[in-house]
């Protein structure tokens, strides 16, 4: 009989352990999701685009001379102020030294003329010299003072010419082209390198005239690149051209937001632009699939996934939302969500605040 009791107890303990294991396994629920992206209501159109630097400069010397050194190569990344190239500065240095010597001589003459004028001025005040001598001394003093100012201007100009023999990076960027070689004669304004910014990348695309009226400056878009699979960049329409004289297309410039270190000028991608309805946009609206929205006595709500301290594990958080219009692409959320929120789109009935979940995508099946 005692053995039977032990057997029953063992079965209960085993069952309890299996139940706990099963509960632990069921605690983390896999769910589908979508990322909340602010957009304007309307049709979504895709266009090909190419990255380009927002800032690009053809760097050249402001003075002429023989190129003594080119310190960069094609593709080099430089910080602001880094040396790009230098021309032979010997003649400019001689001119600067001459200007400095001229200033020193002018200052000596000025000091002598000033002392003489002060002495004559004192004598004239006591009626010991004539008015003619006084005016002559004053004229010499004023002339010496003007010579000092002229010498200072000449020294500044000569120093500027000397400084112009060194070419530096105007901002952080990369060398897109090298257009000269060492020992060549460089004329003022002749391009030495083409320099492109790194921190400010934009995408240039073109749209047909039939829909240009439905695109406006400030619209939010998404950009994807074939060389960066699985990565999506957010952007904003920064420029809309009035048109191209040679073709019925309208260039549109997209300013990429956030980190752009992986992007290089010349990369091709796809720009997804939501077209506004009747020329009007709905700023701040977010589209989500209808299955993501639930309703109870407290109103409409969705669940978003927030990161936890565990790798790959998220937590479901309930968010009250305000609904807008229903479109072919989904339901507008006008309040309650922010751009970048991870919205859970399936399995809503099994969720509650704090429920641990694991994110799935269609590629998992």
């Amino acid at each position: 009989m005692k053995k039977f009791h032990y057997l029953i107890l063992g079965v209960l303990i085993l069952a309890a352990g299996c139940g706990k294991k099963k509960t632990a396994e069921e605690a983390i629920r896999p769910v589908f999701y979508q990322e909340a992206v602010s957009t304007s209501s309307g049709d979504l159109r895709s266009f090909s685009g190419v990255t380009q630097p927002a800032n690009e400069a053809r760097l050249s010397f402001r003075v002429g001379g023989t190129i003594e050194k080119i310190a960069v190569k094609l593709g080099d990344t430089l910080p602001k102020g880094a040396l790009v190239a230098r021309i032979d500065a010997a003649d400019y240095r001689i001119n600067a030294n001459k200007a400095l010597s001229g200033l020193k001589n002018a200052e000596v003459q000025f000091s002598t003329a000033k002392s003489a004028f002060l002495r004559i001025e004192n004598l004239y005040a006591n009626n010991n010299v004539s008015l003619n001598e006084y005016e002559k001394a004053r004229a010499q003093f004023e002339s010496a003072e003007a010579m000092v100012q002229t010498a200072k201007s000449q020294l500044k100009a000569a120093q500027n010419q000397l400084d112009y023999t060194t070419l530096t990076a105007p901002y952080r960027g990369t060398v897109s082209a090298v257009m000269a070689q060492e020992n060549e004669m460089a004329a003022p304004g002749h391009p030495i390198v083409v320099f492109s910014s790194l921190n400010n990348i934009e995408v240039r695309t073109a749209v047909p005239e039939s829909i240009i009226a439905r695109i406006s400056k400030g619209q939010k878009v998404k950009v994807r690149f074939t060389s960066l699979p699985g990565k999506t960049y957010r952007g904003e329409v920064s420029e809309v051209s009035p048109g191209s004289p040679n073709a019925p297309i309208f260039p549109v410039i997209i300013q990429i937001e956030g980190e752009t270190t992986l992007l290089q000028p010349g990369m091709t991608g796809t720009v997804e632009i939501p077209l506004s309805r009747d020329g009007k946009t709905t700023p701040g609206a977010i589209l989500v699939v209808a299955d993501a929205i639930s309703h109870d006595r407290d109103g409409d709500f969705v669940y978003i996934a927030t990161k936890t301290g565990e790798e790959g594990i998220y937590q479901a958080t309930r968010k009250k939302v305000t609904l807008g219009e229903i479109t072919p692409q989904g339901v507008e959320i006008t309040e309650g969500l922010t751009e970048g929120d991870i919205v859970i789109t399936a399995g809503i009935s099994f969720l509650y605040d704090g429920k641990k979940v694991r994110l799935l995508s269609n590629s998992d099946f």
Side-chain angles (χ1 to χ4, degrees):
M1 189 66 177
K2 187 177 295 185
K3 290 183 180 180
F4 179 73
H5 285 283
Y6 286 144
L7 180 60
I8 294 298
L9 182 60
V11 171
L12 292 175
I13 293 173
L14 182 61
C18 292
K20 289 180 180 178
K21 183 178 180 180
K22 184 176 180 181
T23 301
E25 290 176 350
E26 292 179 349
I28 303 176
R29 184 174 185 82
V31 294
F32 289 103
Y33 70 97
Q34 73 171 98
E35 186 176 346
V37 178
S38 180
T39 183
S40 301
S41 301
D43 299 329
L44 188 66
R45 300 290 182 88
S46 297
F47 305 94
S48 297
V50 179
T51 57
Q52 63 183 27
N55 299 313
E56 186 174 75
R58 293 174 176 265
L59 304 184
S60 61
F61 290 106
R62 298 176 66 173
V63 295
T66 304
I67 299 177
E68 184 178 77
K69 181 179 181 59
I70 294 181
V72 299
K73 295 179 181 179
L74 181 65
D76 282 355
T77 298
L78 305 177
K80 180 179 179 180
L83 177 66
V84 174
R86 182 174 60 241
I87 63 175
D88 185 1
D91 292 341
Y92 297 101
R93 191 171 293 109
I94 291 173
N95 291 338
N97 290 335
K98 285 182 178 179
L100 179 60
S101 178
L103 174 61
K104 290 181 178 179
N105 290 334
E107 288 176 340
V108 170
Q109 294 178 19
F110 171 73
S111 179
T112 301
K114 183 179 180 181
S115 297
F117 172 68
L118 293 175
R119 180 173 55 81
I120 296 297
E121 184 180 43
N122 187 50
L123 292 173
Y124 178 72
N126 295 316
N127 295 319
N128 291 323
V129 296
S130 66
L131 175 62
N132 183 52
E133 289 179 299
Y134 169 75
E135 290 180 344
K136 182 180 179 181
R138 186 176 67 176
Q140 290 175 342
F141 167 68
E142 291 176 348
S143 176
E145 186 177 30
M147 288 177 62
V148 169
Q149 296 303 319
T150 300
K152 286 183 178 179
S153 298
Q154 291 175 342
L155 176 59
K156 183 177 181 181
Q159 187 61 52
N160 285 342
Q161 296 284 302
L162 180 59
D163 293 340
Y164 293 155
T165 61
T166 300
L167 194 61
T168 59
Y171 42 76
R172 181 176 179 271
T174 184
V175 178
S176 303
V178 178
M179 308 175 71
Q181 295 182 356
E182 293 180 358
N183 300 316
E184 289 184 349
M185 283 294 296
H190 179 74
I192 304 300
V193 301
V194 178
F195 197 67
S196 303
S197 63
L198 281 179
N199 296 334
N200 203 0
I201 296 293
E202 60 188 22
V203 177
R204 182 184 181 90
T205 187
V207 302
E209 60 180 340
S210 58
I211 61 173
I212 188 61
R214 301 176 66 186
I215 297 176
S216 59
K217 186 177 179 180
Q219 277 186 263
K220 299 295 184 179
V221 303
K222 291 191 293 185
V223 185
R224 296 185 176 88
F225 298 94
T226 53
S227 58
L228 299 172
K231 189 169 182 60
T232 301
Y233 287 87
R234 298 185 184 89
E236 180 178 301
V237 176
S238 60
E239 297 179 40
V240 179
S241 169
S244 173
N246 301 320
I249 58 173
F250 293 77
V252 175
I253 303 299
I254 310 299
Q255 186 67 53
I256 298 297
E257 300 174 350
E259 184 61 52
T260 60
T261 53
L262 297 178
L263 301 181
Q264 297 292 334
M267 295 175 62
T268 58
T270 301
V271 181
E272 295 181 355
I273 304 179
L275 304 181
S276 61
R277 292 193 300 269
D278 302 324
K280 298 179 180 179
T281 60
T282 307
I286 293 175
L287 294 177
V288 300
V289 296
D291 291 341
I293 302 170
S294 299
H295 182 85
D296 60 14
R297 62 182 182 181
D298 295 324
D300 300 304
F301 65 93
V302 300
Y303 282 103
I304 65 170
T306 56
K307 289 184 178 181
T308 65
E310 304 175 65
E311 184 177 357
I313 305 302
Y314 290 74
Q315 178 177 290
T317 302
R318 174 171 166 151
K319 296 273 287 191
K320 185 177 180 180
V321 295
T322 301
L323 306 184
E325 297 185 24
I326 299 176
T327 73
Q329 290 75 37
V331 181
E332 280 186 356
I333 305 296
T334 59
E335 293 182 16
L337 291 181
T338 58
E339 192 171 7
D341 284 343
I342 300 174
V343 182
I344 299 174
T345 59
I348 308 299
S349 59
F350 298 96
L351 298 181
Y352 54 83
D353 255 340
K355 174 78 172 178
K356 289 186 176 181
V357 297
R358 179 169 61 87
L359 303 183
L360 293 176
S361 63
N362 291 328
S363 60
D364 293 323
F365 292 89

